Amino acid sequence: MATEVYIAGAAMTQFARHDQKSMQDLVQEAALGALSDAGLMSGDVQAMYSANVYGGMILGQVLVRDLQITGPALYNVENACASGATAVQLAKQALELGIYDTVLVWGVEALTQLGGGTIPLQRNDYKTTLYAAQGMTLPSVYAMRGMRYLHERDETPEILARVAVKNRAAGARNPYAQQQKEVTLEEVLTSRPVAEPLTLLQCCPSMVDGAAAVVLTTKRPASAKPVRIRASAVQSGHQELGCDDILDAEITARTAQLAYDQAGISPSEVNVVELHDAFTIAELLYYEALQLAPHGEGAALLRSGSTALGGRVPVNPSGGLLAKGHPLGATGVAQMVEMVWQLQGRATGRQVEGARVALTQCTGGGIAGVDHAASSVHILSV
């Protein structure tokens, strides 16, 4: 019989600009919150997994030193935007193998320390460095996908703006989100141009700090609604030879199918989703990659209201990256925190009623000739 892995505790800080807080402060707030939520003490933790992208060497040990949680194994995990979700998968594997029975996983980032602007492209890939020298940025990469989408699907920029309107409406109900203000279609479309067809309100805030943490255990929690990790999948991208389809999120589709197979469910059984909407076009592409909509019907799914709060399968009830913010290492863990709260009926103001099965999806990084460096999909249930 397979070992069951539960999320016994979940907590996060607000995603915001935290000028008066260090990364140690942020991690300690999230980690202690998760332990308290689980009803555990730091001495109950047998191992720790710390996810981060820009914090530097042995960051995890530095972050928990002042908590006096020293001695247990601590694993530092970096996998671009998928770092947090990857850390959860590694922790789950160790629990299933019986190496530990209770572990603490956190993700953290302090992007405001970078000073502003877009997140730097990969610098140790010589091809990507060449692209950066020619002015390539992540917004421009997604803008090309957006332009191609509008052309192939015979759509107008309004469909992209609808994603921002939906997610910022959800974010306005989430006290942990960086952006807590609803916006109109007109405000989105007329906000400052970034890279056609994307405007400022269609791009996730890149300058944001925050941390999130979860306690994973093989001991069934006493909660009335214990949350179980039904599936955990992480994949790397295939090399793309020749002229590739920039609208084909192959790595996410492949990872999602692995997760569905692990969980033994179909996409139609998912009740709520947190996905990687770094830019509005991404959400539309991931509707189809996650099989929430058939190929070519992502826009119709959005227009139907099915992915809004109150819809058939709400997507990004937290506000997603577009409203909540995207502190890279923390994002994958924060998605799971939101899903735990949703499944246990604790997402006040944005609750998806009756949710029993949740899915999180997070991609990470891009190197020349590969469709994303990493993709992760997790399925949780009560």
Side-chain angles (χ1 to χ4, degrees):
M1 182 176 177
T3 300
E4 302 286 9
V5 175
Y6 299 92
I7 301 180
M12 62 180 287
T13 69
Q14 184 187 7
F15 284 5
R17 185 181 188 97
H18 290 288
D19 291 331
Q20 305 305 314
K21 291 184 179 180
S22 66
M23 276 200 283
Q24 286 96 329
D25 296 327
L26 295 171
V27 164
Q28 290 167 19
E29 180 181 338
L32 291 175
L35 287 169
S36 175
D37 193 41
L40 299 175
M41 304 293 288
S42 60
D44 297 317
V45 173
Q46 298 169 316
M48 295 169 284
Y49 295 76
S50 175
N52 177 265
V53 178
Y54 287 110
M57 188 168 60
I58 57 167
L59 179 68
Q61 287 86 339
V62 172
L63 296 178
V64 296
R65 174 189 56 202
D66 296 337
L67 285 177
Q68 299 181 349
I69 308 179
T70 55
L74 196 156
Y75 305 90
N76 289 290
V77 180
E78 185 277 307
N79 212 10
C81 305
S83 296
T86 302
V88 170
Q89 195 210 33
L90 293 172
K92 178 177 181 287
Q93 290 175 343
L95 291 166
E96 289 174 332
L97 289 170
I99 300 173
Y100 312 115
D101 58 46
T102 302
V103 302
L104 176 64
V105 183
W106 69 78
V108 64
E109 211 76 54
L111 293 177
T112 58
Q113 296 178 6
L114 299 180
T118 60
I119 294 170
L121 287 175
Q122 189 80 352
R123 291 289 175 177
N124 60 359
D125 174 5
Y126 76 95
K127 289 185 178 180
T128 308
T129 302
L130 289 175
Y131 296 160
Q134 297 174 42
M136 183 73 78
T137 63
L138 286 174
S140 64
V141 171
Y142 280 90
M144 287 191 290
R145 291 178 178 144
M147 288 295 285
R148 190 68 191 175
Y149 186 91
L150 298 184
H151 170 73
E152 289 197 8
R153 306 294 172 84
D154 193 26
E155 291 284 355
T156 66
E158 166 264 343
I159 193 62
L160 301 175
R162 281 179 175 268
V163 176
V165 171
K166 174 183 73 71
N167 291 355
R168 286 176 180 266
R173 304 181 179 197
N174 182 5
Y176 293 89
Q178 183 187 39
Q179 306 294 326
Q180 298 180 31
K181 179 179 180 296
E182 294 192 33
V183 294
T184 65
L185 272 176
E186 182 180 7
E187 287 173 327
V188 174
L189 291 169
T190 58
S191 61
R192 178 167 60 82
V194 173
E196 190 178 2
L198 300 179
T199 60
L200 185 63
L201 293 180
Q202 296 183 56
C203 309
C204 71
S206 61
M207 292 298 107
V208 60
D209 311 324
V214 291
V215 174
L216 304 188
T217 183
T218 54
K219 300 176 181 179
R220 183 180 175 87
S223 166
K225 289 187 175 182
V227 175
R228 180 162 56 106
I229 302 180
R230 294 273 297 276
S232 175
V234 174
Q235 293 282 283
S236 59
H238 286 313
Q239 187 173 7
E240 297 172 327
L241 302 176
C243 184
D244 62 291
D245 182 358
I246 62 175
L247 300 186
D248 179 21
E250 186 277 333
I251 183 175
T252 292
R254 174 162 43 96
T255 309
Q257 190 57 60
L258 286 173
Y260 288 133
D261 291 345
Q262 281 183 33
I265 67 169
S266 68
S268 63
E269 295 177 72
V270 174
N271 305 127
V272 60
V273 175
E274 282 282 314
L275 60 73
H276 192 102
D277 60 323
F279 302 89
T280 51
I281 178 59
E283 179 161 327
L284 287 167
L285 297 180
Y286 293 144
Y287 286 168
E288 298 174 20
L290 296 173
Q291 301 177 52
L292 304 179
H295 179 72
E297 296 184 23
L301 182 71
L302 176 65
R303 283 199 178 95
S304 73
S306 295
T307 59
L309 286 170
R312 177 179 62 80
V313 54
V315 173
N316 290 325
S318 71
L321 281 60
L322 286 169
K324 186 172 60 180
H326 183 27
L328 311 182
T331 290
V333 182
Q335 288 181 328
M336 295 187 192
V337 171
E338 175 70 17
M339 292 295 89
V340 169
W341 290 345
Q342 290 286 351
L343 292 173
Q344 294 183 331
R346 295 195 280 162
T348 304
R350 60 190 187 283
Q351 182 64 51
V352 177
E353 298 300 332
R356 296 190 59 81
V357 179
L359 180 148
T360 67
Q361 174 266 341
C362 198
T363 55
I367 54 178
V370 174
D371 171 26
H372 280 99
S375 182
S376 64
V377 174
H378 286 78
I379 296 174
L380 316 179
S381 72
V382 291

